[in-house]
Amino acid sequence: ASPAGTPIALPQPVPLLGRDRDVTEVAALLGADRPVVSLVGLAGVGKTALALAVAYAVAADHPAGVTGVLVGEGSDANDVLAASVAVLGGSRLDDLACHLADRPALLLVDAVERAPEPVAEALGALLAAAPTLRVLVTGRRPVGLPGELVRPVAPLDVPPIGVTPGEPAELARWPATALFAARLAQVRPEPPTPAELPALVALVRRLGGLPLAIELMAARGRILDVTELLDRYGDRVLDLATGGGPGWRPADRPAASVTLREAVATSYRLLAGEERVALRRLAAFRNRWSVELAEELLADGGDREDAVPLLDRLRELGLLSVRGTGPFRFRLLDAVRDFAVEQAAGEGELARIRRRHAVVVAGLVRRTAPGLVGADVAAAVRVLDEATSDIIAALGYAAEHDPVTALRLAAALPRWWRLRGRDVSGRRWLRRLLADPRTADADPVLRAWAMLGAARLAVEHDAGPEELSGARAALAAFSAAGEVTGELSARSVLCALLPAVAAHDEAREQAQALLETATRHGRAREMAVAQTHLTWHDVRVGDLAGARRRLATVDRLAVECGEQRLRLQARANLAEVARLEGRYVDAVAQGRRVAVALAEQGDPGQRRRVLGTVGLALAEEGRTAEALEVVAELRRALPVPGQRSPVGVGQAGPDRARRPAHTVCALIEGQLALRRGDRELAAEWFEAAAATAVEGRDRRDLIEALVWLAASTADVAVLDRLDRARRSSGVSLLPREEELLYALVAGRGRR
C-alpha cells in the first residue's frame, strides 16, 4: 500500500535519472480526465520504468487501487479482459463498477504492441463498464482508442555536439552520461578518467541516450575501459544485444536476447510503405533539422508536401526525437538513423539520397550566407552552426560524386569559416574543388566566388600572396558579368592582399575604386569597408588624425546599414590609433570592450588583433601582470608552428619555450623586458618580432619592431634595416618613434 493507503500491486520503481519532468507531466495528464494515456517509444527507452514511477506518484489519487497486466504474445481480447478484471479485484466485468464503488483506480497495461487490437477491444469494454478507471499504457505503438492521449518517451539528454565535460563530476549535467557513470560504478571501482570522457560522451551519443543500451554498454566496462568500448562497439551499436531477468518483465526487457537492430526493426515495420521511404531519406541528416529542410529533402525535386503528419507519426512511434524550441529541433536517434541507412543501402537508394541531401544543404547555405553580412549575422551563424554536421557530410560526399554542387556549397561558406576560425581547412576545400577538372566548366561567376573565398581565408593566416592571382581573376570575372556585389567584394579582398606584397599604392587605388563604386550604387556597408581600408593608408603615412576622422565615418555608415560587426571593427581600429598616439589608457579601455563583444559574436581573428592592441598598450604603460595575461591568452588562441620564443630569467622557461613566437606577443615581451632594464632580452624579443613581421601582412608591426630593436641595441645596422623596410613599405615614422630614434642618434653623437 502507498502511504495514503492505496493498495498497489506493482513492482517497486527503480530510481530514474533525468525523468523528473516526464513523471510530473504524465501524472498531470492522468489527472486531466484522460481515460487512456499511452507512453510510446523504442525498446529500451524506459517506458515501463517511467510508467511504474508515475503509477507510484499518482497512487494517492486512485484509492481503489493501482495495478497492472503484462500483455503476452498471442493474447486475445478475452485474455486481456479477464486478467485486467482479476487484478482490479473483480470477478466479472459487470461487477467491476460496483467493486470500485465509484472510486478512481489505475491500471498499467504493458507491451500493448504484442496484441494491439485485442488490447484496444478489452480496454474499450473495461472503460465502458468502469468510468472511474484510468489506464496507463506502454508500447511501441498507441492503442488506438477514442480519447487516448499519446505521450512519446524520448531518450535521455546527451551532451550537445561539440561539448565534452572536462571532469568526471560534470557528467551529472546530462542524464545519459550520468546513467552511464552510475552503471559503470557498479562494475568497476574507479570513476571515468578525464582521458576517457571524450569517448564516454561519443558513446552515449551513438547509443542515442537509450537507457537500456547505456546500461548494457556500461556493463562491458567490467572488461574494457571506455575508450576501448567506443573503439570496439561505436560503429556497431545496432548489434548491441538486449535482455532481461526473471519475474515481472517489462516490455523493454524481453525474455529472449534481441539486438538494437531488431528492436528498431519492430517499430520500422509499423510504418506504411511511403513512411518507410521517408524515414530512409531523413536518415541522410546527421544532426538536427527543421520541418522545411525535411520537406525539401523528401520532395526530391518534385512538389513539396506537408511533412508534419509524417513527423508526428515518427515521433509517435519513438523513432524521432523533438528537442528545443528553434526550427532545428528534429533528430533521428543514431540507432534509428543507422538502421534506416542500412535499409536504404539494401534498396539501392543510398547514393541518390546522399546526392539530394548535398543539394538541399547547399541550398540552405546559399540562402543563409547573405545574412553573414549586415544586421543579422548572429542569426545566420546560428543556422550554419546547427547544420555543421550536415555541411561536413554534404561537402565530403559531393566533392567525390557531385563536385559542382560541392563548389556551390563551399563558395558560400568562407565568411562562416572565417568567423569560426576554420580558414585553413576552408581554403583547402576551395582549392581542391577549383583544381578538380570536373568544375572547370562551372559558371564563371561561381568559380570567381570560390577563388575570392580562398583569397579571403588566406588573409586570415597570412597566405594572401598565394591567392593574389585568383583574386585578380575573380575581379575580372565579376566585372565581365556585371556582378556589382562580386566586384565590391573582390576589391575589398585585394585591399587586404596587396599590402602583403608591398603593393601599397595599388591597394590604396583599389580602396578608392571600392569607395567610388559603392557610393555610386548607394552601398553604405561597402562604403564603410572602403573607408576602413583607407584608414590604414592614413596610418601608414602617419596621418593619425585623418585615420580617426575616417573611423568616425565608418562608425556612422555602420549604424546606417545596421552592421554591428563593422562598428566593432571601427572601434578596434580606434583603439589601435589611440595606442599609436600614446593614449594607452583609452586604448586599453576601448580594446577590452571590443574584445568582449567579439568573443560573443565569434570572430577569433579580429579578436586576436584587438587583444594585441590591448597587450601592447598595457606593456607600454608598464602594467606588467595584465600584459602577460594577454600574452598567455594570445598564445593559447594562436598556435603558429615552427618557432621558439626566447626565454628570460624568472619566466616560465620550458612552457614559454614551447610557445610559438608571434609578432605582437614578442613586441609585448620586448616592451616588458625593456621596462625591467634588460636590454639584451628586449633585443631578442624585438628581433623575434621583426622576423615574424616580415612574413605578416601588417608592415607597421615590422617598423615598430625595428624601431624598438634599434632603441634596445643602439646598433646602426638596425637603422639601415629600418630604412630599407620604410622604403619598401611606404610606412612613415610616427612622431614618438622619430623622437626615440633622434634621442638614440644624439646619444651616440655625444659618446
Side-chain angles (χ1 to χ4, degrees):
S2 72
T6 300
I8 304 178
L10 290 174
Q12 284 288 333
V14 297
L16 298 180
L17 287 170
R19 295 294 192 194
D20 292 347
R21 180 177 176 180
D22 294 327
V23 171
T24 301
E25 290 180 353
V26 176
L29 295 176
L30 284 170
D33 242 4
R34 294 282 185 173
V36 180
V37 175
S38 290
L39 303 181
V40 179
L42 287 176
V45 78
K47 301 181 295 293
T48 303
L50 174 60
L52 289 171
V54 170
Y56 273 80
V58 301
D61 299 326
H62 300 83
V66 176
T67 187
V69 295
L70 178 66
V71 178
E73 296 287 353
S75 299
D76 59 23
N78 289 329
D79 296 331
V80 176
L81 191 58
S84 300
V85 170
V87 297
L88 287 167
S91 56
R92 295 185 312 155
L93 179 63
D94 294 340
D95 298 332
L96 187 57
C98 182
H99 174 74
L100 297 179
D102 294 328
R103 296 175 301 159
L106 178 65
L107 176 68
L108 169 59
V109 181
D110 197 30
V112 297
E113 74 277 354
R114 295 176 179 171
E117 289 78 14
V119 168
E121 183 181 342
L123 291 184
L126 277 171
L127 293 169
T132 61
L133 179 64
R134 296 292 177 265
V135 183
L136 181 60
V137 172
T138 74
R140 300 181 197 176
R141 56 178 291 179
V143 178
L145 284 172
E148 175 186 16
L149 183 67
V150 178
R151 210 293 191 162
V153 179
L156 298 177
D157 284 343
V158 302
I161 290 177
V163 175
T164 300
E167 297 292 336
E170 295 180 33
L171 296 174
R173 292 171 56 190
W174 299 279
T177 53
L179 178 62
F180 191 101
R183 296 300 179 261
L184 189 66
Q186 295 175 354
V187 298
R188 78 177 211 190
E190 307 86 7
T193 66
E196 291 178 296
L197 296 185
L200 190 156
V201 169
L203 200 53
V204 297
R205 285 199 196 106
R206 289 291 295 135
L207 296 172
L210 289 170
L212 182 57
I214 289 172
E215 292 183 4
L216 293 169
M217 186 66 76
R220 288 163 166 77
R222 184 180 289 107
I223 304 297
L224 304 173
D225 67 28
V226 181
T227 303
E228 291 171 331
L229 288 174
L230 178 64
D231 291 341
R232 180 174 288 267
Y233 300 112
D235 292 330
R236 50 193 184 101
V237 296
L238 285 175
D239 296 319
L240 188 67
T242 65
W248 170 299
R249 182 176 292 108
D252 289 348
R253 299 179 182 270
S257 178
V258 297
T259 64
L260 279 180
R261 177 182 288 103
E262 293 165 334
V264 175
T266 301
S267 296
Y268 179 76
R269 286 192 289 269
L270 297 175
L271 297 171
E274 63 275 12
E275 293 170 337
R276 296 181 189 179
V277 171
L279 181 65
R280 296 196 294 267
R281 292 180 180 175
L282 292 173
F285 289 122
R286 297 304 180 93
N287 193 30
R288 300 192 184 279
W289 33 271
S290 65
V291 174
E292 291 73 21
L293 280 180
E295 290 173 341
E296 192 173 350
L297 181 69
L298 295 174
D300 201 9
D303 294 334
R304 289 195 192 187
E305 295 184 7
D306 184 5
V308 172
L310 166 71
L311 300 184
D312 190 46
R313 172 67 170 158
L314 296 178
R315 179 176 182 268
E316 185 180 73
L317 295 178
L319 296 168
L320 176 68
S321 170
V322 184
R323 294 286 173 86
T325 57
F328 288 78
R329 62 183 182 275
F330 303 93
R331 188 180 188 277
L332 296 181
L333 302 181
D334 281 9
V336 174
R337 186 177 67 240
D338 291 351
F339 176 83
V341 168
E342 285 184 354
Q343 298 301 305
E347 297 288 339
E349 303 168 337
L350 199 52
R352 182 169 58 84
I353 290 173
R354 286 181 173 168
R355 185 180 293 266
R356 178 62 187 168
H357 171 260
V359 170
V360 169
V361 173
L364 169 69
V365 171
R366 295 188 72 191
R367 292 191 300 272
T368 306
L372 295 171
V373 174
D376 297 326
V377 173
V381 169
R382 279 196 300 271
V383 169
L384 297 181
D385 286 349
E386 290 277 8
T388 296
S389 300
D390 286 291
I391 290 171
I392 293 171
L395 196 53
Y397 181 82
E400 295 294 333
H401 305 284
D402 188 2
V404 174
T405 294
L407 185 66
R408 192 174 294 115
L409 172 59
L413 286 171
R415 290 185 185 276
W416 179 65
W417 276 328
R418 181 179 66 82
L419 292 173
R420 286 296 175 249
R422 298 170 187 161
D423 44 284
V424 174
S425 60
R427 179 178 169 228
R428 190 179 299 126
W429 271 114
L430 287 164
R431 289 172 67 91
R432 169 187 168 182
L433 293 166
L434 285 167
D436 191 322
R438 294 173 293 174
T439 67
D441 296 329
D443 180 2
V445 171
L446 171 59
R447 287 184 59 85
W449 279 113
M451 288 187 286
L452 192 62
R456 189 189 302 277
L457 295 173
V459 170
E460 293 299 307
H461 49 272
D462 292 330
E466 299 172 23
E467 304 293 346
L468 186 55
S469 61
R472 292 188 192 280
L475 176 58
F478 289 135
S479 299
E483 176 68 40
V484 175
T485 300
E487 179 186 346
L488 293 169
S489 297
R491 291 194 187 280
S492 178
V493 171
L494 283 168
C495 288
L497 292 177
L498 290 165
V501 294
H504 303 285
D505 291 339
E506 185 184 350
R508 188 182 188 96
E509 291 168 5
Q510 289 288 354
Q512 289 170 336
L514 172 60
L515 180 58
E516 291 167 5
T517 305
T519 303
R520 186 167 62 251
H521 290 277
R523 307 284 283 268
R525 181 188 181 278
E526 284 72 18
M527 291 163 61
V529 170
Q531 293 283 15
T532 300
H533 288 302
L534 288 168
T535 295
W536 289 111
H537 291 284
D538 290 340
V539 171
R540 183 169 63 89
V541 299
D543 184 5
L544 298 183
R548 274 190 280 106
R549 286 193 297 272
R550 283 196 191 276
L551 290 173
T553 301
V554 172
D555 190 69
R556 175 177 57 78
L557 290 169
V559 171
E560 182 181 322
C561 64
E563 177 65 85
Q564 177 65 13
R565 193 171 298 277
L566 271 178
R567 293 199 74 190
L568 290 176
Q569 185 178 356
R571 291 173 182 179
N573 292 339
L574 275 171
E576 177 65 4
V577 170
R579 184 188 73 82
L580 294 174
E581 291 175 326
R583 296 186 292 112
Y584 304 128
V585 174
D586 290 346
V588 170
Q590 177 89 290
R592 280 179 164 164
R593 286 195 296 269
V594 173
V596 170
L598 288 171
E600 294 172 354
Q601 290 203 5
D603 190 341
Q606 182 65 24
R607 184 170 183 274
R608 287 195 298 268
R609 286 188 282 276
V610 76
L611 282 176
T613 292
V614 171
L616 280 169
L618 289 167
E620 291 175 278
E621 199 183 1
R623 294 158 66 175
T624 302
E626 294 172 84
L628 286 175
E629 288 176 4
V630 173
V631 169
E633 184 172 358
L634 281 171
R635 284 177 172 151
R636 287 193 299 269
L638 188 63
V640 181
Q643 284 193 306
R644 294 167 60 89
S645 301
V647 184
V649 177
Q651 300 185 37
D655 181 66
R656 184 64 53 81
R658 285 195 294 268
R659 294 295 187 188
H662 174 266
T663 305
V664 175
C665 292
L667 283 171
I668 296 171
E669 294 275 19
Q671 289 285 352
L672 295 176
L674 200 58
R675 282 192 162 270
R676 293 195 304 270
D678 191 342
R679 288 181 172 272
E680 183 178 348
L681 179 59
E684 289 184 43
W685 281 114
F686 290 133
E687 185 64 66
T692 55
V694 168
E695 303 299 325
R697 52 178 154 153
D698 191 346
R699 289 298 186 266
R700 169 124 279 290
D701 286 345
L702 174 60
I703 299 303
E704 189 166 346
L706 290 174
V707 166
W708 286 106
L709 180 59
S712 303
T713 61
D715 187 349
V716 175
V718 177
L719 295 177
D720 292 338
R721 290 170 60 190
L722 175 59
D723 190 52
R724 290 194 300 272
R726 286 179 56 204
R727 285 199 303 269
S728 66
S729 65
V731 175
S732 299
L733 293 178
L734 299 174
R736 65 192 184 100
E737 293 170 332
E738 289 179 340
E739 292 172 5
L740 187 67
L741 294 176
Y742 178 79
L744 169 65
V745 173
R748 287 182 60 84
R750 286 193 297 272
R751 289 196 296 273

